[in-house]
């Protein structure tokens, strides 16, 4: 593990975190990677004690100073913590530090995605001190990529190994660009020594296989005789007519759904595409103040998709809308409008009758994420398919952050 110290740790327990990571030593013999200490990533809600960049994942580390040592800490994400049976009272910040950990991880992932960097999953470790004998977390929280641990060498190392399990390794060049976002300068040679491959692994889940011909042991058929010039002209005319017919069908039928086999993967989670369309007009496909905005400033195009995935045993529906506007200033105003409560939004395909067996009735009370990249604005809504949803549901909000990397 290569250490880069940018500033002082924001918490007292941060010194223990630094000592725990430094004990792993340089090189890849224990874990490898680079730890940036005392930094605040762009867009992050607070200073972080450390950001650990590993070949198969990124981990934000937040330190939490308890009032006094504790024997038992119950640390769920959605409700206040209890220390030795007593509620942990916080005068500022979120209801508990685990929520801040998830928000910090989501903010860093969003920042990396907007810069077009390697889409490594970002998880969170919350280090609590000065001493905790036992930490209890719900199983569902563990699956969400957050660990609450004591700041010792073994516990932080175990958490890092559990969370950094992406399917392919990040190359040294991509890791260097990622570290530059954090304000750390590390050479490619140092990164290779810490376990980052000089060339990134091939991610087979992203390889386009549609053009790979099927293997056959049968000998190739003899090439047919070349047609006369008249045949060429007739064949070309037929091809043009077929292309025009297919184009007319596609343009005239935006409700045509893609095959259910279409799927995308984000952070190891598979999203099945259930419906998609691409239209030129945004006003007829929006509502409220957003619709009135589009009537005054028409968009260039609108792409929409609806995906289905699972959180544990529960199905989840994800609506993605990508709006292209005239200029970056318009994109900023649209993003601010979409982020405001009660201003309407872009109509999802489910509301236009594009459901599927097991789909939710609507995207009401959805968790939402909005992101701008130049002239492009993305809006993601996520709901439970078979139970009530809430905009502040942390599991749905984390899934909405993943949805920002989906492409309908």
């Amino acid at each position: 593990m290569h250490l880069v110290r940018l500033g002082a740790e924001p918490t007292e327990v941060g010194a223990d975190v630094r000592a725990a990571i430094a004990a792993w030593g340089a090189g890849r013999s224990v874990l490898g990677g680079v730890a940036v200490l005392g930094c605040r990533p762009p867009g992050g809600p607070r200073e972080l004690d450390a950001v650990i960049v590993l070949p198969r994942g990124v981990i934000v580390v937040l330190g939490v100073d308890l009032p006094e040592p504790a024997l038992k800490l119950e640390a769920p994400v959605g409700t206040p913590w209890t220390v030795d049976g007593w509620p942990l009272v916080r005068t500022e910040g979120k209801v508990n530090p685990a929520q801040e950990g998830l928000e910090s991880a989501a903010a860093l992932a969003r920042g990396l995605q907007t810069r077009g960097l390697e889409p490594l999953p970002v998880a969170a470790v919350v280090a609590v001190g000065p001493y905790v004998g036992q930490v209890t977390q719900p199983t569902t929280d563990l699956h969400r990529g957050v660990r609450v641990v004591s700041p010792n060498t073994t516990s932080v190392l175990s958490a890092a190994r559990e969370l950094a399990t992406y399917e392919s390794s990040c190359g040294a060049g991509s890791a260097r660009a990622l570290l530059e976002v954090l304000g750390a300068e590390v050479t490619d040679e140092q990164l290779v020594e810490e376990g980052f491959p000089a060339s990134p692994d091939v991610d087979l889940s992203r390889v386009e296989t549609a053009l790979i011909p099927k293997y056959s042991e049968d000998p190739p058929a003899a090439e047919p005789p070349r047609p006369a010039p008249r045949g060429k002209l007739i064949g070309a005319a037929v091809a043009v007519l077929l292309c025009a017919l297919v184009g007319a069908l596609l343009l005239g039928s935006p409700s045509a759904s893609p095959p259910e086999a279409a799927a995308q993967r984000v952070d190891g989670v598979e999203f099945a595409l259930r419906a998609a369309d691409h239209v030129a007009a945004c006003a007829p496909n929006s509502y409220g103040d957003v619709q009135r905005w589009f009537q005054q400033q028409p968009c260039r195009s609108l792409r929409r998709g609806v995906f289905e995935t699972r959180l544990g045993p529960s199905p989840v529906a994800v609506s993605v809308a990508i709006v292209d506007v005239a200029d970056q200033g318009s994109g900023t105003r649209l993003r601010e409008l979409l982020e405001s409560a009660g201003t309407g939004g872009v109509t999802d395909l489910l509301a236009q009758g594009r459901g599927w067996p097991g789909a939710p009735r609507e995207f009401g009370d959805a968790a939402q994420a909005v992101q701008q990249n130049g002239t492009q604005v993305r809006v993601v809504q996520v709901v439970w398919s078979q139970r009530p949803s809430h905009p502040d549901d942390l599991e749905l909000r984390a899934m909405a952050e993943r949805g920002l990397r989906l492409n309908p």
Side-chain angles (χ1 to χ4, degrees):
M1 177 66 66
H2 181 82
L3 271 63
V4 179
R5 189 171 184 179
L6 299 182
E9 293 83 5
T11 62
E12 294 182 8
V13 77
D16 296 328
V17 172
R18 172 165 47 87
I21 297 175
W24 301 343
R28 69 184 78 177
S29 59
V30 175
L31 186 64
V34 177
V36 183
L37 306 174
C39 67
R40 182 169 187 167
R46 58 162 284 183
E47 295 283 342
L48 300 175
D49 291 84
V51 176
I52 304 175
V53 180
L54 300 167
R56 295 183 181 271
V58 180
I59 300 170
V60 300
V61 183
L62 296 87
V64 176
D65 297 322
L66 298 178
E68 56 187 15
L71 295 177
K72 184 176 181 181
L73 171 66
E74 295 183 6
V77 169
T79 57
W81 287 4
T82 59
V83 181
D84 292 335
W86 294 89
L88 176 64
V89 179
R90 308 192 78 203
T91 58
E92 59 183 13
K94 299 296 180 181
V95 66
N96 66 52
Q99 287 191 7
E100 294 181 356
L102 285 176
E103 289 196 0
S104 297
L108 178 55
R110 185 166 58 248
L112 298 179
Q113 192 271 337
T114 56
R115 291 167 173 79
L117 298 178
E118 190 78 13
L120 287 174
V122 183
V125 168
V126 181
V128 293
Y131 169 81
V132 177
Q134 178 184 359
V135 178
T136 302
Q137 284 187 264
T139 304
T140 54
D141 291 352
L142 297 175
H143 292 322
R144 293 160 63 177
V146 59
R147 298 290 187 274
V148 181
V149 301
S150 296
N152 57 64
T153 301
T154 304
S155 60
V156 179
L157 178 62
S158 298
R161 282 176 167 164
E162 290 176 5
L163 295 172
T165 57
Y166 191 52
E167 55 211 27
S168 60
S169 294
C170 174
S174 298
R176 176 171 43 78
L178 190 159
L179 289 164
E180 289 174 354
V181 172
L182 300 175
E185 296 183 2
V186 183
T187 66
D188 286 1
E189 291 76 11
Q190 291 173 317
L191 291 170
V192 171
E193 292 176 357
E194 295 294 339
F196 295 91
S199 298
D201 294 350
V202 176
D203 184 358
L204 296 179
S205 66
R206 298 174 183 269
V207 174
E208 175 58 60
T209 60
L211 300 180
I212 299 177
K214 182 184 293 185
Y215 174 76
S216 174
E217 294 183 354
D218 298 331
E223 183 177 353
R226 296 182 178 179
R230 178 180 176 85
K232 288 184 178 180
L233 292 176
I234 294 175
V238 172
V240 170
L241 289 174
L242 287 175
C243 290
L245 178 59
V246 171
L249 289 173
L250 291 176
L251 294 175
S253 304
S255 61
S257 297
E260 289 196 3
Q264 299 176 34
R265 293 179 66 87
V266 177
D267 295 348
V269 179
E270 184 170 288
F271 295 80
L273 181 61
R274 297 306 185 199
D277 75 352
H278 187 185
V279 296
C282 290
N285 298 289
S286 56
Y287 58 95
D289 295 339
V290 174
Q291 184 181 54
R292 288 188 285 273
W293 191 89
F294 281 131
Q295 290 171 346
Q296 298 174 0
Q297 304 184 59
C299 69
R300 290 178 174 176
S301 68
L302 169 63
R303 285 181 289 154
R304 293 179 294 175
V306 183
F307 297 80
E308 187 178 31
T309 186
R310 304 188 76 86
L311 273 171
S314 302
V316 173
V318 182
S319 171
V320 180
I322 304 176
V323 182
D324 285 315
V325 294
D327 52 64
Q328 185 169 347
S330 298
T332 300
R333 291 188 290 273
L334 175 60
R335 173 180 55 79
E336 293 173 347
L337 184 63
L338 290 167
E339 289 177 336
S340 303
T343 57
V346 178
T347 306
D348 60 86
L349 294 178
L350 198 63
Q352 296 181 340
R354 305 285 294 280
W356 64 92
R361 292 188 303 173
E362 60 181 4
F363 277 92
D365 295 325
Q368 178 174 285
V370 182
Q371 182 185 81
Q372 178 192 0
N373 185 9
T375 61
Q376 187 180 88
V377 179
R378 291 173 178 258
V379 187
V380 177
Q381 294 179 294
V382 183
V383 295
W384 299 105
S385 297
Q386 298 174 358
R387 57 187 172 102
S389 304
H390 193 277
D392 294 329
D393 188 310
L394 288 175
E395 288 184 299
L396 297 182
R397 287 171 60 183
M399 191 61 71
E401 296 290 339
R402 287 193 176 105
L404 291 171
R405 287 178 272 169
L406 293 172
N407 288 299

